[in-house]
């Protein structure tokens, strides 16, 4: 199975669902359609589950390319697309085998029947393969029996005229590395009447030694005792054809018996024995691979579920410790996949060394994900175990000339207090791990109801966010920026707000990170640029002063190569001159200094204004600041607030203003809320301010009123 979904939570939930049936093995994950196409070529899966709504390449586009270039059965999944929608019908038309809605499948209260239906429909999809793979190398015993029965049938057809087909018979036996035996019952003894084939060389018994002998004369007592009940069943016609396996001197053999009849009475038994040692070893290898990760050698989900169920049956307390490597994808892309594999192997070895006792086990359950299961008698013992994992992973990894540092995000759930179902415990530990990652990484989080509520809230936000744009649920608010020297408006900052019918007003602090993770930030960011430029042009046409409109960029937008062309098109479409659009970036976006400088220069060459927002809270080195082609420096409101009573903040703000003046940058102080703070900013020769003292962010319809308040320098400040 290949799971394609842009949400890590959903990828893990789908994987856990497949883990409930041993017929399924998850071989990989993809985060968008383009990634899925690469993974299909690399992994050759039997079935793909494909999300419809994804960034970069959506599910329908990916499905069309999959069916064209790499046909494989596909099950479509969606967060909100209805079963009878156009998107669903289009997916089925393009070749998808089936469709499931995630919200129905993954309910808070598990629906076992629906889960079973999903797995059955996945199996049905695989039976409708668009292409077949040669699987004879992994069919093991069943295929061997089938082949041998066909061989035996062929031999029996030649029985009437054995002399005529003697050469063909010998050739077939030789090809099978087999031993053809015939025997009949004389009194209470079975005696061999025929014995030929190359296999007897290994047994050390010649034809002359075997003819007329019974099994006890030729084989060890335990082997003969094993064979005789099968001989008796066939002779008594309990069954028409019977097969059994034997092991002798480290080799495995399969024997097929079939009775020969005359007038309905059994007169002789024909037996074909072949060496199936390689098949058995292949089966054992496949069984091992089904239960172990081939890269690290750690057991996989199948062994993990068995461990948990056996421990729960004994009512022993244990914890599920879900471990995810922070920024592994970045390391994989930076150092290459071979080094990435080495990292995973090193981490696996370290974890295995921690869990050397029977009451602790570790499993690899995903690309860079491991699960530790530990029987613990106390919270302090569990905390010590988790801390040991963190310290072990934090140790540097030396690969070739590289010294690589990894950190883990760890989530923990416990039996029996958190839940008494193995799959639910894994899911809860996964949720706690996601929360650890969101909370800053390199830490341990224990599952609790508050974490579950936050993750549930995030899933709801993601679900409704996907439709928010097309439903026109976003609005832009505008907060004026004031020139202190002239007491005039010189610009507005545009601030996005989301009014969701289902969730109410959602803070940007909540939905912007979700938009960035899912890729929805690109269409949302484009809408903000279009709306802000359109509004500013409209105010200009109404005769209001020409001022700049500031738009905040996300880091993903900033590093999007198409952003420059997008802005150029929007300016042409709205008619706004470029000098009236200001792009606000944050310090964290400039960590890749050379790329940042090149990108900012391209914006400046277009005639756009550039402001660095939240200055003082981020990364920027002063040695690089002078290199950035920016116009305005915005002092973060955390420094500006209460500077009239906080001497430390006042000193910081004064220093930043002095620095900016030396660099010939315009300073904008954010978060100005009272007159005393404003007067101190004026003493520091601050150029511009923005804050509740002048106006809260307002809707577009109220902007003309703000212009009117500032006309003639008559300004009534907000209380």
């Amino acid at each position: 199975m290949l799971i394609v979904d842009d949400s890590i939570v959903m990828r893990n939930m789908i994987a856990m669902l497949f883990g409930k049936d041993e017929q399924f093995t998850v071989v990989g994950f993809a985060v968008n359609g383009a990634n899925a196409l690469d993974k299909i070529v690399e992994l050759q899966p039997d079935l793909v589950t494909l999300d419809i709504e994804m960034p970069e390449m959506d599910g329908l586009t990916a499905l069309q390319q999959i069916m064209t270039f790499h046909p494989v059965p596909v099950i479509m999944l969606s967060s909100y697309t209805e079963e009878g929608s156009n998107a669903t019908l289009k997916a089925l038309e393009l070749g998808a085998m089936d469709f499931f809605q995630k919200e129905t499948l993954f309910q808070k209260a598990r629906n076992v029947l629906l889960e079973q239906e999903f797995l059955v429909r996945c199996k049905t999809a695989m039976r409708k393969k668009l292409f077949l793979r040669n699987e004879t190398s992994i069919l093991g015993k069943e295929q061997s029996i089938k082949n041998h029965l066909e061989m035996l049938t062929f031999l029996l057809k030649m029985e009437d005229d054995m002399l005529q087909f003697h050469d063909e018979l010998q050739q077939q036996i030789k090809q099978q590395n087999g031993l053809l035996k015939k025997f009949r019952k004389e009194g209470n003894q079975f005696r061999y009447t025929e014995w030929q084939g190359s296999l007897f060389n290994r047994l050390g018994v010649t034809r002359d030694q075997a003819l007329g002998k019974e099994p006890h004369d030729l084989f060890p007592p335990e082997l003969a005792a094993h064979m005789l009940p099968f001989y008796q069943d066939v002779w008594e016609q309990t069954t028409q054809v019977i097969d059994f396996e034997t092991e002798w001197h480290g080799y495995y053999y399969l024997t097929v018996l079939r009775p020969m009849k005359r007038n309905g009475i059994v007169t002789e038994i024909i037996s074909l024995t072949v060496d199936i040692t390689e098949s058995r070893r292949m089966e054992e290898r496949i069984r091992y691979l089904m239960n172990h990760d081939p890269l690290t050698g750690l057991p996989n989900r199948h062994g993990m579920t068995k461990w948990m169920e056996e421990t729960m049956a004994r009512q022993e307390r244990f914890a599920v410790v879900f471990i995810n490597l922070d920024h592994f994808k970045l390391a994989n892309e930076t150092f290459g996949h071979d080094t990435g594999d080495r990292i995973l192997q090193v981490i696996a070895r370290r974890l295995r060394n921690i869990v050397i006792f029977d009451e602790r086990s570790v499993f690899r359950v995903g690309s860079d994900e491991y699960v530790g299961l530990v029987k613990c008698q106390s919270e302090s013992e569990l905390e010590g175990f988790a801390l040991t994992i963190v310290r072990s992973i934090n140790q540097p990894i030396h690969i070739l000339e590289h010294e690589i540092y990894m950190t883990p995000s760890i989530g923990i759930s416990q039996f029996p207090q958190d839940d008494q179902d193995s799959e639910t415990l894994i899911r809860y530990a996964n949720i706690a791990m996601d929360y650890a990652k969101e909370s800053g990484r390199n830490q341990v989080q224990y599952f609790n109801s508050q974490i579950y509520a936050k993750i549930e809230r995030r899933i709801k936000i993601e679900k409704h966010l996907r439709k928010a744009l097309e439903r026109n649920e976003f609005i832009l608010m505008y907060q004026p920026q004031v020139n202190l020297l002239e007491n005039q408006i010189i610009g507005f900052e545009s601030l996005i707000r989301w009014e969701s019918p289902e969730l109410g007003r959602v803070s940007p602090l909540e939905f912007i990170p979700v938009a960035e993770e899912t890729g929805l930030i690109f269409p949302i960011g484009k809408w903000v640029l279009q709306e802000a430029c359109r509004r500013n042009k409209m105010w200009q046409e109404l005769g209001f002063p020409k001022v700049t409109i500031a738009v905040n960029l996300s880091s993903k937008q900033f590093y999007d190569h198409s952003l420059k062309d997008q802005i150029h098109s929007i300016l042409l479409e709205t008619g706004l001159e470029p000098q009236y659009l200001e792009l606000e970036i944050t310090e964290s976006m400039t960590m890749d200094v050379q790329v940042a400088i090149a990108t900012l220069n391209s914006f400046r060459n277009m005639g756009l204004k550039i402001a660095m927002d939240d200055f003082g809270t981020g990364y920027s080195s002063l040695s690089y600041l002078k290199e950035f082609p920016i116009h305005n420096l915005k002092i973060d409101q955390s420094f500006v607030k209460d500077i009239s009573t906080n001497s430390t903040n006042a000193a910081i703000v004064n220093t930043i203003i002095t620095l900016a003046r030396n660099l010939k940058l315009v300073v904008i102080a954010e978060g100005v809320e009272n007159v005393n703070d404003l007067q101190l900013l004026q003493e520091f020769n601050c150029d511009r301010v923005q804050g509740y003292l002048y106006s809260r962010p307002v809707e577009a319809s109220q902007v003309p009123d703000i212009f009117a308040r500032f006309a003639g320098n008559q300004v009534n400040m907000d209380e």
Side-chain angles (χ1 to χ4, degrees):
M1 321 300 298
L2 173 66
I3 298 172
V4 185
D5 202 293
D6 58 318
S7 167
I8 185 174
V9 175
M10 193 56 61
R11 291 197 299 272
N12 288 324
M13 292 175 71
I14 297 169
M16 283 189 279
L17 182 52
F18 280 128
K20 296 176 182 178
D21 191 322
E22 291 187 356
Q23 184 170 338
F24 298 106
T25 301
V26 177
V27 295
F29 301 92
V31 297
N32 55 53
N35 187 209
L37 292 169
D38 293 337
K39 291 288 186 180
I40 289 173
V41 174
E42 175 188 351
L43 302 173
Q44 295 291 301
D46 297 304
L47 182 69
V48 175
T49 64
L50 185 61
D51 187 16
I52 291 182
E53 306 87 13
M54 294 183 295
E56 295 188 36
M57 181 186 289
D58 62 66
L60 291 180
T61 304
L63 177 64
Q64 189 168 17
Q65 295 201 32
I66 290 171
M67 291 304 160
T68 302
F69 301 107
H70 314 289
V72 61
V74 175
I75 299 278
M76 302 300 291
L77 297 173
S78 173
S79 294
Y80 64 84
T81 303
E82 302 296 334
E83 198 155 9
S85 68
N86 291 334
T88 305
L89 297 176
K90 181 66 175 177
L92 297 174
E93 177 185 323
L94 289 172
M97 292 292 183
D98 213 332
F99 168 87
F100 258 89
Q101 191 173 29
K102 295 179 191 173
E103 187 176 24
T104 305
L105 184 58
F106 298 106
Q107 302 175 35
K108 183 174 182 180
R110 285 183 58 201
N111 188 329
V112 177
L113 292 177
L114 190 61
E115 290 176 354
Q116 291 175 349
E117 179 187 346
F118 172 78
L119 295 175
V120 168
R121 282 161 66 171
C122 286
K123 292 176 184 178
T124 301
M126 285 194 292
R127 284 197 291 269
K128 299 177 181 177
K129 285 183 184 178
L130 300 177
F131 64 96
L132 296 175
R133 293 193 306 183
N134 180 11
E135 298 178 329
T136 56
S137 62
I138 63 171
L139 289 179
K141 176 182 171 183
E142 291 186 4
Q143 186 63 42
S144 296
I145 293 172
K146 180 180 176 183
N147 291 342
H148 301 145
L149 285 174
E150 291 176 354
M151 169 64 184
L152 191 54
T153 302
F154 170 78
L155 295 176
L156 290 173
K157 287 180 180 178
M158 302 190 302
E159 211 33 45
D160 291 337
D161 197 349
M162 190 65 76
L163 292 176
Q164 178 180 349
F165 297 102
H166 181 75
D167 292 340
E168 288 88 343
L169 174 63
Q170 292 296 331
Q171 184 178 355
Q172 288 291 329
I173 294 173
K174 183 176 181 180
Q175 288 177 356
Q176 291 284 339
N177 188 26
L179 173 63
L180 175 67
K181 304 188 295 281
K182 292 183 184 179
F183 57 86
R184 63 169 61 97
K185 193 170 187 181
E186 298 177 356
N188 293 325
Q189 305 293 329
F190 290 102
R191 297 191 180 277
Y192 293 108
T193 58
E194 185 59 65
W195 183 282
Q196 58 177 293
S198 58
L199 189 59
F200 71 73
N201 294 326
R202 183 183 297 165
L203 301 179
V205 180
T206 66
R207 182 174 183 274
D208 292 339
Q209 291 172 326
L211 294 182
K213 300 293 179 33
E214 62 170 312
H216 279 291
D217 297 330
L218 304 175
F219 302 105
E222 64 277 8
L223 185 55
H226 174 69
M227 297 161 56
L228 286 172
F230 298 109
Y231 285 14
Q232 188 65 34
D233 286 346
V234 175
W235 187 265
E236 294 176 353
Q237 302 183 62
T238 302
T239 180
Q240 287 297 313
V241 178
I242 195 168
D243 66 88
F244 62 92
E245 291 185 21
T246 53
E247 189 272 332
W248 195 20
H249 296 315
Y251 293 92
Y252 294 91
Y253 304 99
L254 174 69
T255 299
V256 182
L257 305 176
R258 185 162 184 167
M260 305 290 293
K261 298 180 181 179
R262 294 290 185 270
N263 299 321
I265 299 174
V266 177
T267 59
E268 198 170 36
I269 305 295
I270 185 169
S271 166
L272 179 65
T273 299
V274 293
D275 183 357
I276 60 166
T277 303
E278 289 303 317
S279 297
R280 282 292 297 270
R281 288 174 180 166
M282 179 66 76
E283 284 182 354
E284 291 171 0
R285 176 62 178 164
I286 293 166
R287 196 175 297 113
Y288 177 85
L289 291 175
M290 286 180 62
N291 292 285
H292 290 77
D293 168 48
L295 178 65
T296 63
L298 292 177
N300 59 21
R301 286 182 180 273
H302 297 296
M304 180 176 66
T305 303
K306 182 181 178 183
W307 191 102
M308 294 177 69
E309 290 175 351
E310 290 175 350
T311 307
M312 286 189 291
R314 296 191 296 268
Q315 288 298 303
E316 295 180 275
R317 177 182 173 182
F318 70 92
V320 180
V321 183
F322 204 108
I323 306 156
N324 179 268
L325 301 182
D326 299 329
H327 303 300
F328 173 74
K329 181 181 179 183
L330 178 62
N332 208 25
E333 293 174 348
T334 302
F335 300 109
H337 292 287
D338 289 341
T339 299
D341 287 347
R342 292 278 299 278
I343 292 172
L344 295 173
Q345 290 169 334
V346 169
I347 297 298
R349 186 166 61 251
R350 292 180 181 179
L351 294 175
R352 190 188 292 113
N353 290 338
I354 296 172
V355 295
I356 57 177
F357 305 109
D358 291 340
E359 63 270 18
R360 297 176 180 178
S361 296
V362 63
F363 307 82
R364 185 184 179 206
V365 297
S367 173
D368 58 341
E369 293 173 337
Y370 306 85
V371 167
L373 299 178
V374 52
K375 298 176 187 176
C376 47
Q377 302 304 318
S378 65
E379 291 292 332
S380 60
E381 182 184 348
L382 179 57
E383 289 175 6
F385 176 70
L387 183 60
T388 301
I389 291 177
V390 174
R391 288 173 175 169
S392 177
I393 294 177
N394 286 166
Q395 295 299 311
I397 300 172
H398 298 279
I399 300 177
L400 300 177
E401 73 278 10
H402 305 299
E403 184 175 81
I404 302 169
Y405 289 85
M406 301 300 297
T407 60
S409 293
I410 298 176
I412 298 178
S413 65
Q414 300 180 69
F415 172 85
Q417 54 264 53
D418 288 332
D419 205 89
Q420 300 187 36
D421 174 75
S422 60
E423 296 299 329
T424 303
L425 285 168
I426 295 169
R427 183 159 59 94
Y428 284 174
N430 194 351
I431 288 171
M433 180 276 294
D434 287 334
Y435 187 71
K437 196 171 285 290
E438 290 179 2
S439 301
R441 309 174 192 269
N442 198 31
Q443 60 180 274
V444 179
Q445 287 287 344
Y446 289 79
F447 176 82
N448 56 54
S449 57
Q450 290 79 14
I451 287 179
Y452 187 87
K454 289 179 180 178
I455 297 297
E456 201 172 41
R457 167 79 173 174
R458 189 205 173 285
I459 292 173
K460 286 182 179 178
I461 287 174
E462 179 182 341
K463 173 187 173 183
H464 296 295
L465 188 61
R466 293 186 181 278
K467 284 193 173 182
L469 199 56
E470 63 184 71
R471 290 177 174 176
N472 296 317
E473 294 173 5
F474 292 116
I475 58 173
L476 279 190
M477 308 289 281
Y478 303 91
Q479 188 173 36
Q481 298 172 339
V482 179
N483 183 316
L484 285 179
L485 184 63
E486 300 175 358
N487 204 29
Q488 290 288 340
I489 294 176
I490 47 82
F492 286 88
E493 180 180 2
S494 59
L495 301 163
I496 189 170
R497 299 291 184 265
W498 178 21
E499 297 286 350
S500 169
E502 295 86 3
L503 304 175
R505 172 164 284 192
V506 185
S507 166
L509 295 176
E510 273 196 292
F511 73 81
I512 292 298
V514 177
E516 289 189 327
E517 182 180 329
T518 59
L520 293 171
I521 193 67
F522 296 109
I524 292 173
K526 181 180 179 181
W527 176 83
V528 171
L529 282 165
Q530 288 175 319
E531 180 67 9
C533 291
R534 185 182 69 84
R535 286 288 183 183
N536 198 18
K537 182 63 177 177
M538 183 183 73
W539 295 328
Q540 291 180 4
E541 291 175 343
L542 289 174
F544 293 108
K546 291 185 176 183
V547 298
T548 59
I549 189 77
V551 174
N552 293 278
L553 295 181
S554 77
S555 58
K556 286 199 171 184
Q557 281 180 288
F558 183 69
Y559 286 102
D560 179 13
H561 297 300
S562 66
L563 179 61
K564 179 181 175 182
D565 292 337
Q566 185 182 106
I567 293 174
H568 181 72
S569 298
I570 289 172
L571 293 175
L572 288 177
E573 174 190 329
T574 60
L576 184 69
E577 296 172 83
Q579 65 266 32
Y580 298 115
L581 173 61
E582 181 174 84
L583 302 178
E584 290 194 4
I585 64 169
T586 60
E587 289 183 79
S588 60
M589 295 183 195
T590 63
M591 290 182 67
D592 190 334
V593 175
Q594 298 308 317
V595 173
I597 290 175
T599 303
L600 293 173
N601 275 323
S602 69
F603 292 152
R604 186 159 187 163
N605 292 338
M606 290 175 64
L608 305 174
K609 296 288 181 63
I610 303 165
M612 180 169 285
D613 197 8
D614 300 337
F615 185 76
T617 64
Y619 163 84
S620 291
S621 165
L622 296 180
S623 62
Y624 286 118
L625 184 59
K626 66 179 185 292
E627 304 294 333
F628 293 139
I630 60 177
H631 301 86
N632 302 329
L633 199 64
K634 300 187 73 174
I635 307 176
D636 185 69
Q637 60 183 337
S638 63
F639 297 118
V640 175
K641 187 175 181 180
D642 298 328
I643 58 171
S644 57
T645 57
N646 187 319
S647 58
T648 301
N649 280 359
I652 292 172
V653 169
N654 192 16
T655 300
I656 293 175
I657 293 173
T658 302
L659 169 69
R661 286 194 171 278
N662 289 333
L663 294 175
K664 295 181 173 51
L665 298 176
V666 174
V667 179
I668 302 176
E670 297 181 290
V672 180
E673 297 183 356
N674 61 69
V675 174
N676 291 335
D677 291 346
L678 176 65
Q679 290 174 344
L680 191 56
L681 288 169
Q682 288 174 320
E683 291 178 17
F684 292 159
N685 294 316
C686 183
D687 301 295
R688 301 171 183 178
V689 295
Q690 175 182 340
Y692 287 0
L693 180 63
Y694 287 93
S695 173
R696 294 174 180 271
V698 300
E699 295 188 25
S701 59
Q702 296 175 275
V703 167
D705 295 336
I706 293 178
F707 274 120
R709 285 171 46 206
F710 278 83
N713 295 333
Q714 299 299 314
V715 182
N716 295 316
M717 298 179 182
D718 284 358
E719 296 296 333

